[in-house]
Amino acid sequence: MDNPHYRVARLLDVQPETEDTSSYLFVLEDGGDFQFSPGQFNMLGLPGTEEAAISFSSLAVAGSGRFTHTIRRVGNVTKLIGELEIGQRVMVRGPFGHGWPIEQAVGCDVLLVAGGLGLAPLRPFLLYMLENRGQIRNLVLIFGARTPDDMIFQKDLARWQEQDEVSTIYCVDHLTRESNLRLRTGLVTRFMDGLDLDPRNTLACICGPEIMMRFVARNLALQGYRQDRIYLSMERRMRCGTAHCGHCQIGAKFVCQDGPVFSYPDIARFADTAL
Ligand SMILES: Cc1cc2nc3c(=O)[nH]c(=O)nc-3n(C[C@H](O)[C@H](O)[C@H](O)COP(=O)(O)OP(=O)(O)OC[C@H]3O[C@@H](n4cnc5c(N)ncnc54)[C@H](O)[C@@H]3O)c2cc1C
Ligand code: FES
């Protein structure tokens, strides 16, 4: 690891989400507090491995030292985390980066658009909005996945679909089986017209594959949504997490420190490498 300033966390619980993705609840071994904001991330590692940047998928609970990461097992670190037994330990550095601009939501409509695993960093933002529902106007979540089996947080999705406090649109590319959720078929961009939102007074937060974020942001801009109120969470390979190694750079921006959440105008001008 590049930076020795890590803390040790113990695995408390694992909840399977999809075939290759699970949510892992950790607690810090030192008994200390751990404060973080929706959209920030940790660098997670195990002895002898590099580290992987992983977003928080839970809200911070003051004084608990607990946090959840929702992780797809794709490579060295994430596969080893997937093999951990309850009680085993990981090394954690963080929290890093700038998260979602929660303070800008006050008095506004809020639109969250997530694709696949992109719902993980948006989940704590949505939970925060639901806990502080009186501060914002309309709240809309659009979530798309490839198939019903690729939808993470199914219990949350079912609960949110029944709640009056948030309007939900869930869609899949392929309706491969029946679901207890009300699902539409098509890409998220197909369901973005005529939302009960004021384009001039909406905070829009998008997270998912880069191509999806590009089309969603452009669609919103064309509909007259204020571009400086559209935010996206960018993903780049990371190493130091502290704006030193340059691995995560997009133009002049360091995703690890300036992001991972950027305003659309801030990142769109690096269009060749980003959006
Ligand atoms: C801010 C941020 C937040 C993230 N949040 C999450 C999250 O919440 N959950 C989650 O599951 N993931 C998240 N990721 C993605 C995660 O960090 C990566 O998938 C990470 O690479 C996994 O590490 P690994 O060691 O398991 O996989 P790696 O061994 O790094 O391999 C991952 C994939 O990348 C490919 N790869 C390996 N080396 C390279 C290379 N040099 N260049 C390009 N591709 C390569 C591999 O073939 C494999 O397909 C996030 C990333 C960022 C930047
Ligand atoms: S990860 Fe090293 S500069 Fe961002």
Side-chain angles (χ1 to χ4, degrees):
M1 288 193 197
D2 290 340
N3 187 331
H5 301 299
Y6 62 81
R7 297 167 87 178
V8 176
R10 185 162 34 92
L11 182 63
L12 287 180
D13 187 47
V14 181
Q15 290 296 325
E17 300 286 354
T18 67
E19 200 182 352
D20 61 2
T21 303
S22 299
S23 290
Y24 302 84
L25 171 65
F26 293 100
V27 64
L28 289 176
E29 282 274 271
D30 59 22
D33 199 10
F34 199 36
Q35 285 303 316
F36 50 88
S37 308
Q40 286 191 299
F41 66 94
N42 267 332
M43 297 297 290
L44 287 191
L46 292 146
T49 68
E50 295 206 340
E51 296 168 295
I54 304 289
S55 307
F56 295 97
S57 60
S58 61
L59 275 175
V61 179
S64 75
R66 291 182 178 212
F67 55 96
T68 302
H69 288 305
T70 300
I71 302 176
R72 178 174 292 151
R73 298 175 286 277
V74 292
N76 298 333
V77 176
T78 50
K79 283 182 181 163
L80 284 173
I81 290 173
E83 291 169 9
L84 289 178
E85 306 278 347
I86 302 296
Q88 289 191 300
R89 293 164 179 80
V90 292
M91 291 180 285
V92 176
R93 289 190 301 130
F96 289 120
H98 285 90
W100 303 107
I102 287 182
E103 65 295 340
Q104 288 192 30
V106 177
C108 296
D109 291 336
V110 176
L111 169 64
L112 309 181
V113 187
L117 194 55
L119 186 57
L122 281 171
R123 178 177 181 266
F125 187 28
L126 178 55
L127 293 175
Y128 180 87
M129 290 297 142
L130 290 171
E131 279 184 10
N132 298 274
R133 189 63 186 83
Q135 295 183 6
I136 60 169
R137 293 156 54 109
N138 289 351
L139 175 60
V140 175
L141 167 67
I142 306 180
F143 173 49
R146 277 177 305 169
T147 72
D149 290 325
D150 295 306
M151 302 188 94
I152 58 175
F153 307 134
Q154 298 247 353
K155 280 189 196 154
D156 288 332
L157 294 175
R159 194 174 66 247
W160 296 333
Q161 199 157 52
E162 301 311 321
Q163 258 177 290
D164 290 337
E165 290 81 5
V166 53
S167 305
T168 56
I169 296 172
Y170 302 151
C171 51
V172 288
D173 303 349
H174 310 287
L175 192 57
T176 48
R177 64 165 173 83
E178 284 190 11
S179 165
N180 60 341
L181 301 168
R182 291 186 295 283
L183 301 181
R184 307 182 193 188
T185 306
L187 302 175
V188 288
T189 39
R190 201 167 143 194
F191 306 106
M192 290 175 45
D193 293 337
L195 299 172
D196 191 12
L197 300 168
D198 173 1
R200 303 309 299 163
N201 191 27
T202 294
L203 174 69
C205 297
I206 314 167
C207 190
E210 223 158 271
I211 188 161
M212 166 250 170
M213 294 200 289
R214 179 186 305 152
F215 281 108
V216 170
R218 284 185 187 165
N219 179 308
L220 292 174
L222 282 173
Q223 286 194 56
Y225 284 79
R226 274 180 54 176
Q227 297 196 27
D228 61 343
R229 298 196 138 241
I230 299 173
Y231 285 83
L232 319 112
S233 185
M234 301 299 293
E235 207 175 280
R236 284 294 180 275
R237 291 193 74 78
M238 288 194 185
R239 194 164 191 146
C240 67
T242 53
H244 283 97
C245 72
H247 267 67
C248 69
Q249 252 179 298
I250 301 177
K253 301 281 182 187
F254 292 92
V255 175
C256 63
Q257 195 168 71
D258 302 320
V261 174
F262 292 94
S263 76
Y264 181 47
D266 241 12
I267 206 71
R269 61 202 169 94
F270 300 112
D272 286 351
T273 49
L275 296 170

